[in-house]
């Protein structure tokens, strides 16, 4: 096997096409998670325009591309999956049956360690004892929206009933509802970013959109329109007023949910939940396979989901002086965070504290 490393802009058109073709065939090959748009060449190119150190490892067999690994590299040779902390799917996109040695790959990439927080299934060569596994809920719509809705009513009858009732009440009290699945007005995107920033601050979380590079990344992806990755802004209007919005990425089979938010003035109607039903309906109409809600425990995800995928978090290392230093710095923080998230008796008080801090910061 030959392994070469390139900056994103150095990939040829033929290489990008081969990468996208591997993703397009992933569902038929029994690896549907590889079709996630976060694993696309377009996402890697967009991150590369916003962040330094982005590289693509190209694996070749018999001179032909057999796999692509996007990553970010520090000056000290520490590697992170591309978009670590932002992307909900990471790993090596490859042709069916490809086998690789993780440490050999790290050596070819000039890395001492490579860290993931959303490694998709089927990447056994990367997973070691340091990896933890986590659920990533999905909404299957490949049988059509009516079949999904019937299942939702059976699994979560109270949730389905109250959400549909709130949808009717929102339309009656505020104005006729209109769901735009692919809104192309940049002003609507700016509204969503403003809502999401306010939500982060209100709940005591770090505001991702306080980082200009993340804003630039979202704006670039909003204008991205390829088969393996397209920015998708969905907006729920009541009358002429936007009440909820979501920005995510889609491929030809997966809608990766990413940034949902709503106007808090209409919180009693749960417009974000109503919007997610509209997104599921539109995704089914476009013959997508599923909506990936992303790792993380949320009540609305548990109610909407039809099943769960598995993603992994951890790192693979090779013998190098920098590797144990990185492990010592990162492992305790990740272990504490995951322990809090996994235990309701710890998470709920921490969540309440963050929200209290958020209210003090915003004066609400």
């Amino acid at each position: 096997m030959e392994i070469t490393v390139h900056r994103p802009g150095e990939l040829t058109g033929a290489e990008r096409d081969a990468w996208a073709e591997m993703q397009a065939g992933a569902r038929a090959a029994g690896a549907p998670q590889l079709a996630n748009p976060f694993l696309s060449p377009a996402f890697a190119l967009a991150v590369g325009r916003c962040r330094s150190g982005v590289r693509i490892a190209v694996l070749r067999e018999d001179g032909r591309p057999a796999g692509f690994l996007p990553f970010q590299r520090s000056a000290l040779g520490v590697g992170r999956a591309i978009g670590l902390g932002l992307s909900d799917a990471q790993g090596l996109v490859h042709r069916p049956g490809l086998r690789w040695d993780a440490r050999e790959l790290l050596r070819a990439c000039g890395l001492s360690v490579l860290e993931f927080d959303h490694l998709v299934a089927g990447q056994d060569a990367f997973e070691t004892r340091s990896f933890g596994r986590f659920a990533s809920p999905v909404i299957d719509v490949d049988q059509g929206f009516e079949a999904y809705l019937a299942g939702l009513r059976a699994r979560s009858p109270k949730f389905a009933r109250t959400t549909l009732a709130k949808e009717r009440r929102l339309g009656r009290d505020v104005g006729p509802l209109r769901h735009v699945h692919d809104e192309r007005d940049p002003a609507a995107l700016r509204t969503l970013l403003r809502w999401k920033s306010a939500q982060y601050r209100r709940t005591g979380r770090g505001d991702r959109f306080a980082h200009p590079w993340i804003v630039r990344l979202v704006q670039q992806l909003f204008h991205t329109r390829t088969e393996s990755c397209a920015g998708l802004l969905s907006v729920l209007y009541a009358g002429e007023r936007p009440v909820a919005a979501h920005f995510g990425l889609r491929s030809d089979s997966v809608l990766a949910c990413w940034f949902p938010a709503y106007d808090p003035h209409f919180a009693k109607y749960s417009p974000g939940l109503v919007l997610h039903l509209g997104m599921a309906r539109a995704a089914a109409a476009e013959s997508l396979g599923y909506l990936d809600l992303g790792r993380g425990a949320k009540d609305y995800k548990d109610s909407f989901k039809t099943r769960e995928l598995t993603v992994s978090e951890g790192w693979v290392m090779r013998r190098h002086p920098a590797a144990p230093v990185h492990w010592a710095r990162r492992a305790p923080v990740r272990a504490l965070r995951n322990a809090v998230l996994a235990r309701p008796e710890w998470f709920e008080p921490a969540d309440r504290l963050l929200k209290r801090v958020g209210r003090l910061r915003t004066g609400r």
Side-chain angles (χ1 to χ4, degrees):
M1 181 181 293
E2 178 192 4
I3 302 172
T4 56
V5 179
H6 310 265
R7 290 179 170 82
E10 295 172 347
L11 292 185
T12 66
E15 288 168 336
R16 292 195 299 270
D17 289 345
W19 185 344
E21 286 169 10
M22 289 175 193
Q23 288 195 279
R27 182 158 50 167
Q33 284 181 267
L34 290 184
N36 193 294
F38 283 114
L39 290 169
S40 68
F43 182 74
L45 286 167
V47 177
R49 287 190 287 265
C50 297
R51 302 292 282 173
S52 62
V54 174
R55 300 291 186 270
I56 313 294
V58 182
L59 288 67
R60 293 182 176 85
E61 286 188 331
D62 300 323
R64 300 176 60 186
F68 297 86
L69 175 68
F71 63 94
Q72 293 174 252
R73 181 172 64 192
S74 76
L76 297 177
V78 172
R80 295 155 53 98
I82 193 165
L84 189 87
L86 273 181
S87 65
D88 287 343
Q90 300 153 3
L92 188 148
V93 177
H94 58 88
R95 64 161 180 74
L98 180 71
R99 295 181 179 275
W100 68 93
D101 181 273
R103 287 168 181 80
E104 178 187 337
L105 180 56
L106 262 63
R107 190 175 296 107
C109 294
L111 301 177
S112 59
V113 59
L114 180 58
E115 184 176 359
F116 300 93
D117 61 4
H118 286 77
L119 182 67
V120 299
Q123 307 270 313
D124 296 347
F126 284 133
E127 295 204 38
T128 68
R129 285 177 297 177
S130 69
F131 276 78
R133 296 187 176 188
F134 302 89
S136 185
V138 303
I139 299 174
D140 289 299
V141 293
D142 55 330
Q143 301 301 309
F145 179 72
E146 292 306 321
Y148 166 71
L149 186 58
L152 179 65
R153 285 179 164 132
R155 290 186 306 273
S156 307
K158 182 179 179 181
F159 174 81
R161 186 170 59 253
T162 56
T163 301
L164 292 170
K166 288 178 178 180
E167 180 180 34
R168 292 190 295 271
R169 197 182 321 140
L170 177 60
R172 185 174 61 247
D173 294 353
V174 182
L177 299 186
R178 178 169 55 96
H179 174 246
V180 179
H181 188 54
D182 188 9
E183 175 63 82
R184 303 310 302 158
D185 184 357
L189 180 65
R190 292 193 293 271
T191 297
L192 169 61
L193 300 190
R194 186 173 67 252
W195 286 345
K196 196 67 182 177
S197 286
Q199 178 191 339
Y200 285 137
R201 295 193 299 272
R202 189 169 62 247
T203 56
R205 270 67 175 180
D207 181 4
R208 288 180 169 178
F209 297 116
H211 301 280
W213 78 266
I214 297 180
V215 176
R216 291 198 306 273
L217 176 64
V218 169
Q219 290 171 338
Q220 286 191 33
L221 291 168
F222 175 70
H223 295 289
T224 297
R225 314 295 280 182
T226 71
E227 285 295 317
S228 59
C229 179
L232 191 68
L233 175 64
S234 298
V235 183
L236 178 66
Y237 292 91
E240 295 303 314
R241 182 166 184 170
V243 294
H246 167 271
F247 181 75
L249 303 177
R250 62 156 293 174
S251 65
D252 63 349
S253 59
V254 180
L255 171 54
C257 300
W258 205 8
F259 294 118
Y262 60 86
D263 186 335
H265 291 98
F266 302 99
K268 68 179 181 179
Y269 299 103
S270 300
L273 302 183
V274 175
L275 174 63
H276 273 75
L277 277 181
M279 290 161 53
R281 182 184 292 108
E286 295 185 351
S287 300
L288 270 66
Y290 62 87
L291 291 76
D292 187 342
L293 297 175
R295 171 186 163 186
K298 298 285 185 181
D299 288 343
Y300 81 93
K301 294 183 182 182
D302 285 339
S303 298
F304 274 129
K305 72 181 181 184
T306 54
R307 60 186 172 96
E308 294 174 340
L309 302 174
T310 298
V311 296
S312 301
E313 177 184 290
W315 41 79
V316 59
M317 299 184 291
R318 66 182 180 92
R319 292 184 180 276
H320 190 281
V325 174
H326 179 79
W327 180 88
R329 184 172 62 88
R330 298 285 287 174
V333 175
R334 286 202 175 276
L336 177 60
R337 186 204 65 188
N338 290 332
V340 170
L341 291 175
R343 303 186 63 170
E345 67 270 26
W346 293 357
F347 172 74
E348 290 170 8
D351 187 53
R352 287 195 297 270
L353 177 60
L354 284 173
K355 289 178 179 177
R356 192 175 302 124
V357 171
R359 286 194 295 269
L360 291 173
R361 286 177 177 174
T362 59
R364 296 180 181 178

